[in-house]
Amino acid sequence: MGSAVRKGRTALTATAALGVVIASSLLTGCGSSGSGDVTLKLVAADYGDSADNSSQKYWDALADAYEKDHPDTKVDVVVYSWEDVDRKVKEMVDAGKAPDMAQVGAYADYAAAGKLYPVSQLLSVPVQADFVGEMSKAGEVGGTQYGMPFAASTRRLFYNKDLFEKADIEPPKTWSQLVSAARALKAQGVTYPFALPLGGEEAQAETLIWMLSNGGGYTDNVGAYSIDTQQNIHALNWLKEDLVTPGLTGPTAPARLNRTPAFKAFADGDVGMLSGHPTLINMAKAKGLDYGDVAVPGPDGTPKSRMGVTDWMMAFKQGGHAKQVGSFLDYVYSEKNVLDFSREYTVAPVTVSASDVMKAAPQDKALAPFIDELAGATYYPANKTSWPEVSAEIKKQIGTTVGPNGSAAATLGRIQNDAAAAEAAE
């Protein structure tokens, strides 16, 4: 969608000279005017699905409210699509014009390069302590937290209630029950009995769901890559042998099926089951689909572990405005504002206080199970500078493992070797 800088933000001055100073501050992120005022720049990702609910509107309203109580601080927000935001921030940093804050998908590269403020130098103690514990740990590099979780989600197994009723089946709790349900759905002519999106859009997520379900994952207990374990190989072999090969995953090969079209097919009534995050709730409701969601099955019931996903807020040191940035971020992470964002975009909150409110509120009933499952969840190894490279290889290669000539052991072995080399180079 590109950027949508707030209109009117550069027309804040009474004289041309002051206007030049502020215009310069918007480019550099430094933002001090002759009067001692500070202009902070925030680059953020768009969580909206239309112009009507663009994140630009959320941030503009939040910044306006903050500025009323902090007249010496201005906050300019630029929102980019998820396809562009990480690249845009990198370009700004490489050009020596880092924003004061960035809300994006990864932070570790900038932390390792010494470009970020530690969270302890920004947030008040109560605000920092309010983050969900596992999310805070995922934001640490070398034992110091640099990444602030911003929005979170997990995955649950969504199912089409009407299709399940016609097939006379119950939501599965085990892997074998999932296979049996998929067979029954196929017998009823369902296009995608179980949708398995292992295409490049988000294959690293779908893969991790089933690895964790079987007690595996991308890293071991000490944080080293452990991609080619027997648990992971077994999980992928099960997907291939029990679901893909028997034709239970639909007409599109998993390696070519992306998450977005899979979600759309579910909302259209063409999918019996798939792993989904909370945004699928809105899509299903918009189409009038009667859906249910349950915990992702484990081999013998409850999965060994569940996947959690969080996006990140970080603050760059270049502008030198730690005090003002910290004050604004304390406001961003206040209970009210976390609740407002989580409800507007149907994501799980990243703070304990907001989580407690949403779990108890009738209006948030649909999100409550997702919030509950984030406790103790396992996250991507986002604290590794090598993770973006490793994730890209997983997206590129993992779909082949469930194809006719695929080998989970061989593919995971290659990815493990590349990951170990990348980790050694960190």
Side-chain angles (χ1 to χ4, degrees):
M1 297 181 184
S3 64
V5 182
R6 275 192 292 169
K7 295 180 180 179
R9 285 287 171 188
T10 56
L12 298 173
T13 63
T15 67
L18 187 55
V20 170
V21 173
I22 291 184
S24 174
S25 76
L26 294 180
L27 292 174
T28 63
C30 297
S32 295
S33 74
S35 65
D37 291 349
V38 168
T39 297
L40 302 176
K41 184 164 186 176
L42 165 65
V43 177
D46 194 356
Y47 288 77
D49 54 17
S50 69
D52 291 337
N53 71 340
S54 167
S55 295
Q56 189 74 50
K57 291 186 175 181
Y58 171 84
W59 284 113
D60 288 351
L62 186 144
D64 286 341
Y66 177 80
E67 290 169 3
K68 288 178 181 178
D69 293 330
H70 301 83
D72 292 337
T73 302
K74 305 299 178 184
V75 183
D76 276 316
V77 185
V78 185
V79 170
Y80 293 102
S81 70
W82 273 108
E83 288 78 10
D84 296 326
V85 67
D86 288 283
R87 174 176 56 82
K88 290 291 187 180
V89 171
K90 184 178 186 302
E91 289 172 353
M92 295 172 70
V93 174
D94 290 347
K97 299 177 180 179
D100 293 282
M101 296 162 283
Q103 185 270 299
V104 291
Y107 70 90
D109 279 353
Y110 301 117
K115 296 181 181 295
L116 302 182
Y117 282 114
V119 176
S120 60
Q121 293 182 19
L122 300 169
L123 300 181
S124 63
V125 172
V127 172
Q128 186 175 359
D130 197 26
F131 288 130
V132 175
E134 293 79 5
M135 298 181 194
S136 287
K137 292 177 183 177
E140 294 180 358
V141 173
T144 299
Q145 186 180 357
Y146 295 95
M148 291 161 273
F150 183 72
S153 73
T154 186
R155 301 294 194 270
R156 285 172 64 79
L157 188 76
F158 282 71
Y159 65 96
N160 184 313
K161 286 187 175 181
D162 290 337
L163 296 179
F164 266 58
E165 183 177 349
K166 290 177 183 177
D168 193 26
I169 52 177
E170 296 293 326
K173 296 180 180 179
T174 67
W175 282 9
S176 61
Q177 289 175 3
L178 189 151
V179 173
S180 295
R183 288 174 179 160
L185 291 164
K186 183 180 181 181
Q188 291 290 318
V190 176
T191 306
Y192 292 90
F194 174 74
L196 182 64
L198 292 178
E201 181 182 1
E202 207 180 33
Q204 84 288 358
E206 187 71 21
T207 303
L208 184 57
I209 291 168
W210 301 106
M211 287 179 170
L212 290 172
S213 174
N214 197 43
Y218 291 139
T219 55
D220 60 21
N221 292 334
V222 296
Y225 284 115
S226 58
I227 295 171
D228 61 347
T229 63
Q230 287 304 307
Q231 295 97 319
N232 292 342
I233 293 170
H234 178 227
L236 290 173
N237 283 340
W238 169 74
L239 290 171
K240 176 182 178 179
E241 295 166 6
D242 288 48
L243 289 164
V244 179
T245 301
L248 302 179
T249 54
T252 304
R256 297 198 301 271
L257 182 63
N258 283 319
R259 184 201 68 192
T260 297
F263 277 21
K264 183 179 184 300
F266 181 83
D268 288 340
D270 296 327
V271 175
M273 302 174 283
L274 84 170
S275 304
H277 55 60
T279 60
L280 189 53
I281 295 172
N282 294 339
M283 295 177 65
K285 287 181 177 179
K287 290 294 186 76
L289 183 78
D290 191 10
Y291 78 93
D293 60 80
V294 295
V296 171
D300 301 310
T302 304
K304 303 293 193 300
S305 183
R306 297 184 175 95
M307 182 183 74
V309 177
T310 183
D311 303 320
W312 299 101
M313 178 75 76
M314 56 187 168
F316 288 90
K317 294 191 293 186
Q318 182 179 339
H321 299 311
K323 180 179 178 181
Q324 292 86 355
V325 168
S327 172
F328 177 67
L329 289 177
D330 270 358
Y331 183 72
V332 168
Y333 285 106
S334 66
E335 181 181 300
K336 176 187 181 300
N337 288 325
V338 173
L339 285 171
D340 286 349
F341 188 90
S342 300
R343 285 168 171 162
E344 175 66 27
Y345 298 106
T346 318
V347 294
V350 297
T351 62
V352 174
S353 59
S355 297
D356 289 343
V357 170
M358 293 186 76
K359 285 191 290 186
Q363 73 185 89
D364 303 312
K365 182 179 179 181
L367 265 179
F370 293 87
I371 297 171
D372 284 336
E373 290 195 5
L374 283 170
T378 298
Y379 294 82
Y380 296 137
N383 57 345
K384 293 179 176 293
T385 59
S386 58
W387 170 241
E389 177 184 344
V390 174
S391 177
E393 286 303 310
I394 294 169
K395 291 179 182 180
K396 185 188 304 182
Q397 299 187 48
I398 209 70
T400 65
T401 63
V402 299
N405 300 313
S407 168
T411 300
L412 293 182
R414 287 195 302 270
I415 297 173
Q416 170 65 29
N417 290 337
D418 291 342
E423 185 174 33
E426 289 184 354

